[in-house]
Amino acid sequence: MKVEIFLKNNVVIGALLCLVASISWGAMFPVANHAFQYIDPFYFTIIRYGSVTVLLIAILLWKEGIQAFRLEGRGLPLWFFGSMAFAVYNLLIFWGQDLLGESGVMLASIMESLMPMISIVLLWIFKRNQPHVFTLLCVFVAFIGVSLVITKGDIQTFVTATSDFIPALFIFIAVVGWVVYTIGGNQFGDWSALRYSTLSCLLGTATALAIVLAATFLGHIPVPTVETIKIVSPDLLFMIIFPGLIALLGWNIGIGILSPLNGILFINFVPVTTLIISIVQGYKITSFDMIGTILIIVSLISNNLFLRLHQKKRTAFSLRKQSQINVS
């Protein structure tokens, strides 16, 4: 009885962690949009994840000790996956959002919610994990939803307008970077979520810092003033604590409790949260934003239900086969 209660409580904790992470990520883009009125997205990212890195290092040192900082010969893959997340993703997604302005808020959020579908495509291409036809159909529907949000129904104008196409491409590349980071985490299954998060964040943020310092030295990015940092400090505080520290650790731990199949459903709260906050902030949501968001959510849920049904059938088939072997 006690074991069942403990497992049930664990499931509740896992669900809450995934929910908080998803809502935090959904709120991240409107909050960042406000900050970008005063500070560029590059130093905003460096200050944010520099702070997150320091906090993660302190927590890892306290929880697992100095031995947890040993790379164990995995420095290169750890640096690569960390750079995909904390340099490619963080720098490009906010740069693209900033270039697009108000419309970039919704687009960045929608792209974020597309991560499960992008994972399916990448695993199919690089690991030959061919998905079911129904899953491919769901991927196709999700991409239609994204295209509606991006183009607002006018594909020809969007493709010819470089000022919109290039930033949208930055956001897409950024999201692919995070997907690569997530898939790469499988190589560190013998490490705790805290250890993988901390060391990858440390190496990835170092890469991002090198890029930003080089761009500053070349005169492309201005160093923010102390006054500017004071103005955006509430935004930074939120971004450090919630989408940064809590979401990063909470999502990894929550997925570990619930399993990816169950936990991934919570990613639907990302665009919903962004949509609600954007409406409250006065951003005019178009019908294409609404329809595109609905299409992505429906495709994610449909694919999840299909995979559950398929998994159930496989389990039942295995049990029948095993019972027949036992009888014979």
Side-chain angles (χ1 to χ4, degrees), residues 23-316:
I23 291 174
S24 298
W25 284 329
M28 174 173 71
F29 302 109
V31 170
N33 186 58
H34 175 265
F36 294 158
Q37 297 174 35
Y38 307 97
I39 189 172
D40 69 85
F42 302 100
Y43 271 100
F44 183 79
T45 298
I46 291 303
I47 295 170
R48 173 197 173 195
Y49 264 100
S51 303
V52 170
T53 302
V54 171
L55 290 171
L56 285 172
I57 288 172
I59 296 170
L60 181 62
L61 190 62
W62 172 58
K63 291 286 288 183
E64 300 186 26
I66 193 68
Q67 67 274 7
F69 290 87
R70 294 173 184 165
L71 300 181
E72 298 177 355
R74 306 186 194 181
L76 188 59
L78 193 63
W79 168 81
F80 172 75
F81 292 124
S83 295
M84 285 293 102
F86 302 101
V88 173
Y89 171 79
N90 280 314
L91 293 179
L92 287 186
I93 199 164
F94 288 124
W95 189 19
Q97 178 188 328
D98 187 40
L99 290 172
L100 286 170
E102 292 288 342
S103 63
V105 175
M106 201 63 220
L107 177 57
S109 177
I110 286 293
M111 286 287 197
E112 182 111 350
S113 64
L114 200 64
M115 285 182 183
M117 297 306 183
I118 295 174
S119 300
I120 291 168
V121 175
L122 288 183
L123 289 171
W124 184 18
I125 294 171
F126 294 106
K127 295 202 172 184
R128 299 292 186 266
N129 290 349
Q130 185 172 351
H132 298 281
V133 175
F134 184 80
T135 295
L136 287 176
L137 179 63
C138 290
V139 170
F140 179 69
V141 171
F143 274 102
I144 290 175
V146 171
S147 67
L148 287 175
V149 175
I150 295 174
T151 64
K152 308 301 179 190
D154 190 351
I155 296 175
Q156 186 175 356
T157 302
F158 171 78
V159 172
T160 55
T162 309
S163 59
D164 289 342
F165 180 77
I166 298 299
L169 183 62
F170 285 163
I171 293 173
F172 178 74
I173 294 170
V175 171
V176 171
W178 189 271
V179 170
V180 170
Y181 169 72
T182 304
I183 294 173
N186 293 329
Q187 297 185 21
F188 299 85
D190 55 327
W191 287 10
S192 67
L194 175 61
R195 187 181 183 186
Y196 178 62
S197 300
T198 301
L199 297 184
S200 60
C201 185
L202 174 62
L203 295 175
T205 303
T207 303
L209 178 62
I211 293 169
V212 171
L213 290 178
T216 302
F217 179 76
L218 294 172
H220 298 302
I221 304 173
V223 179
T225 63
V226 175
E227 188 60 36
T228 298
I229 294 173
K230 283 181 181 178
I231 293 171
V232 298
S233 58
D235 301 318
L236 278 169
L237 193 61
F238 171 81
M239 296 287 279
I240 290 166
I241 295 173
F242 287 96
L245 187 65
I246 292 176
L248 178 62
L249 289 176
W251 181 259
N252 287 336
I253 296 169
I255 288 291
I257 294 172
L258 299 177
S259 83
L261 185 61
N262 295 317
I264 206 68
L265 274 176
F266 286 90
I267 207 74
N268 289 309
F269 286 97
V270 173
V272 171
T273 304
T274 304
L275 199 66
I276 293 170
I277 294 175
S278 296
I279 292 171
V280 171
Q281 289 181 337
Y283 173 64
K284 190 176 179 182
I285 302 296
T286 67
S287 58
F288 295 105
D289 291 325
M290 295 291 292
I291 295 169
T293 302
I294 290 168
L295 283 176
I296 291 170
I297 291 173
V298 168
S299 64
L300 281 169
I301 293 174
S302 299
N303 185 57
N304 186 275
L305 291 174
F306 171 77
L307 291 177
R308 285 171 186 273
L309 183 63
H310 182 72
Q311 192 177 67
K312 201 179 220 181
K313 285 181 178 178
R314 285 183 63 182
T315 304

